[in-house]
Amino acid sequence: VNEAPGSTGAEPWDVLVVGAGPAGTAVAGGLAAKGYRVLVAEEHARVGRPVQCAGLVSRRVLDLAGSSSMVVRPVRGAAVFGPSLRSITFRADGPRAFVLDRAALDVHLAERAVRSGAEIRTGLRFDRLLGPPNGEAVAELTTSEGAPVRVAARLVVGADGVASAVARAARIRRPVEILPAFEAEFPKSPGDPDQVEVYLGRTIAPGLFGWWIPDGSGGARVGVAVDADGTPARLYFERLLGRLATRFGSPLANPTSYVVSGIPIGELPRLHGDRVLLVGDAGAQVKPLSGGGIYTALRAAELAVEVGGAALAAGDLSSRGLAPYTTRWREELGDEFRRALYLRRILTRLSDAELDALVDALGGGSLAGTIVAFGDIDFPTRVVRELLAASPSLVRLLPKALGAWVAPGRAYPVPEVDPGERRK
Ligand SMILES: Cc1cc2nc3c(=O)[nH]c(=O)nc-3n(C[C@H](O)[C@H](O)[C@H](O)COP(=O)(O)OP(=O)(O)OC[C@H]3O[C@@H](n4cnc5c(N)ncnc54)[C@H](O)[C@@H]3O)c2cc1C
């Protein structure tokens, strides 16, 4: 897979995919299977490396990938810890999520794309787009030896992750927040290998949360994703390690690898341009309440294959011809994303005392059962709505707008009130 030579001759490619992460190779495989000539350019030397992910996914990801060979551990439950380390545990009878060998997922998807006829060239970095928007797209790239390469293609797919150079080149606006993330792997860790742990608190992870995820071989992946407030994410990570030392009674030692990356949160006004589609992190197709983006990248890739394939067949690769991609994404996941962004804005404004109260309230009565019954890591706002409907005490903790959102008889609208005005 890795060293397939890229032909950059005069004959244009149908599709140039930039980035060999899950989004890129899923699009490449789908379009190659439809008979199009597809080149994937990946700047790193190896597909799947370096790993920049905790690798926790739903069963949908295994279905979309067509394999479960990369699963290292199914998990049945989750424990959520408030700032004071009071916690609530949810546990289902069977697997509710899967911890993956993330590099193995990427390699599997890349091999599938190659089997479908796509060509993957590693060590090839996309730099910019040339040419008039209505002509064929000409991309300038650079090999790892520093040699410039030009590739002409009818369609360019930006699957180049959080800092998308394709989005920049195509002048597609990305009004997203990029949450700095810091993660390390510990070869040995105490803790229940059947569950993941989530840590809330303004001092350890303002903006999102910290996590402890069993790695399937006695160790754990530990990390934080936080607001970009100028404080290095590593500092929050060190504080999380302090919490874990308190929780486990001994510090975690000898980390083997570190991940320093970013998670894009937000909604792009459009995910397409003339001859360009953005897929995955490049299009901020990342779940706003968890920062998870593998399921959404793979689902977006399917939509990109359908719309991109139809546009290639019709010979209309204009922004208008590709617009159904943005429309279909919005129809399918737009409401979930907007509700999640709204909830995120509320949650990020809660004080540590309020977060503790939230954890206590979730632990009360039958709410834990509701979470187990309705919890879906890909569509988390569904369970939030069930919880709010079931618990007046929970609603009291949160702004009035949220109460209105779950009032009986209302449809499932996206609240309009900006909670930022209410809490600081
Ligand atoms: C610390 C951390 C933990 C995470 N944990 C989870 C999790 O548990 N579950 C989950 O679902 N999601 C998780 N995510 C999010 C998930 O990793 C991403 O959403 C997912 O990788 C998106 O896939 P992608 O293909 O869009 O982008 P990527 O996987 O980032 O792939 C982009 C590819 O493009 C390449 N590239 C970039 N620029 C260029 C260029 N100019 N030219 C050529 N190639 C280029 C990169 O090298 C890379 O291979 C996590 C993210 C972080 C940072």
Side-chain angles (χ1 to χ4, degrees):
V1 172
N2 292 338
E3 300 309 328
S7 151
T8 50
E11 175 78 4
W13 293 84
D14 289 317
V15 187
L16 168 66
V17 175
V18 181
T25 50
V27 175
L31 287 174
K34 285 182 184 287
Y36 294 109
R37 294 178 65 243
V38 182
L39 173 68
V40 182
E42 165 56 51
E43 69 176 335
H44 285 111
R46 288 171 67 196
V47 169
R49 302 281 173 188
V51 171
Q52 294 188 314
C53 184
L56 186 74
V57 300
S58 67
R59 187 180 293 281
R60 287 187 193 93
V61 166
L62 310 181
D63 293 344
L64 287 166
S67 171
S68 54
S69 62
M70 65 294 287
V71 172
V72 296
R73 179 90 203 178
V75 288
R76 294 195 292 142
V80 178
F81 289 79
S84 67
L85 284 184
R86 291 201 297 278
S87 67
I88 158 110
T89 299
F90 315 107
R91 191 165 277 262
D93 292 337
R96 291 304 284 258
F98 301 86
V99 184
L100 301 187
D101 173 344
R102 170 60 203 265
L105 171 73
D106 287 23
V107 169
H108 164 80
L109 292 170
E111 285 174 351
R112 189 171 75 172
V114 169
R115 277 198 305 278
S116 298
E119 194 168 315
I120 298 181
R121 181 144 176 216
T122 55
L124 188 59
R125 187 190 69 228
F126 168 92
D127 296 321
R128 63 187 70 82
L129 284 173
L130 302 174
N134 293 328
E136 78 196 5
V138 178
E140 277 194 338
L141 303 99
T142 310
T143 68
S144 42
E145 293 80 36
V149 172
R150 278 191 181 184
V151 171
R154 297 169 65 203
L155 172 67
V156 176
V157 175
D160 50 342
V162 58
S164 180
V166 173
R168 221 173 20 253
R171 298 204 166 82
I172 298 180
R173 216 160 58 78
R174 291 175 87 235
V176 296
E177 244 181 285
I178 300 203
L179 305 187
F182 194 99
E183 185 185 73
E185 295 208 29
F186 292 88
K188 276 208 168 67
S189 172
D192 181 347
D194 258 350
Q195 70 177 22
V196 297
E197 297 188 355
V198 171
Y199 290 83
L200 305 175
R202 298 193 72 94
T203 47
I204 53 157
L208 204 67
F209 49 75
W211 60 87
W212 177 97
I213 295 179
D215 70 358
S217 49
R221 303 168 186 171
V222 175
V224 292
V226 295
D227 273 339
D229 63 0
T231 313
R234 181 170 191 137
L235 193 91
Y236 291 112
F237 170 80
E238 302 286 351
R239 288 187 192 151
L240 173 63
L241 288 186
R243 291 286 159 87
L244 289 172
T246 309
R247 153 149 171 68
F248 292 132
S250 62
L252 296 179
N254 306 322
T256 48
S257 61
Y258 290 104
V259 172
V260 185
S261 191
I263 297 181
I265 302 286
E267 201 184 17
L268 268 54
R270 61 187 170 93
L271 296 158
H272 64 278
D274 281 311
R275 296 187 182 276
V276 173
L277 294 175
L278 299 182
V279 186
D281 277 15
Q285 290 164 316
V286 173
K287 292 172 282 178
L289 281 174
S290 68
I294 301 176
Y295 162 64
T296 38
L298 292 180
R299 183 59 197 134
E302 287 191 330
L303 297 177
V305 167
E306 281 175 40
V307 174
L312 284 162
D316 181 3
L317 295 149
S318 66
S319 184
R320 232 174 105 195
L322 295 171
Y325 170 62
T326 300
T327 312
R328 291 201 45 199
W329 167 261
R330 291 234 177 94
E331 281 168 4
E332 194 170 312
L333 279 133
D335 280 353
E336 170 70 20
F337 265 54
R338 256 157 277 142
R339 284 192 294 265
L341 285 165
Y342 172 81
L343 285 169
R344 198 180 107 73
R345 294 211 309 270
I346 291 173
L347 291 171
T348 54
R349 285 171 171 84
L350 296 184
S351 67
D352 274 359
E354 287 167 321
L355 286 170
D356 270 327
L358 189 64
V359 170
D360 293 343
L362 288 174
S366 59
L367 293 187
T370 306
I371 292 175
V372 173
F374 293 96
D376 179 335
I377 63 172
D378 294 329
F379 295 90
T381 71
R382 291 179 185 167
V383 73
V384 174
R385 190 164 190 251
E386 296 297 334
L387 285 171
L388 291 169
S391 168
S393 67
L394 210 56
V395 175
R396 270 197 299 279
L397 282 174
L398 299 166
K400 280 205 187 86
L402 215 50
W405 181 39
V406 293
R410 298 240 354 219
Y412 200 2
V414 179
E416 281 161 16
V417 179
D418 181 1
E421 302 303 316
R422 295 164 177 269
R423 308 233 158 199
K424 199 72 213 168

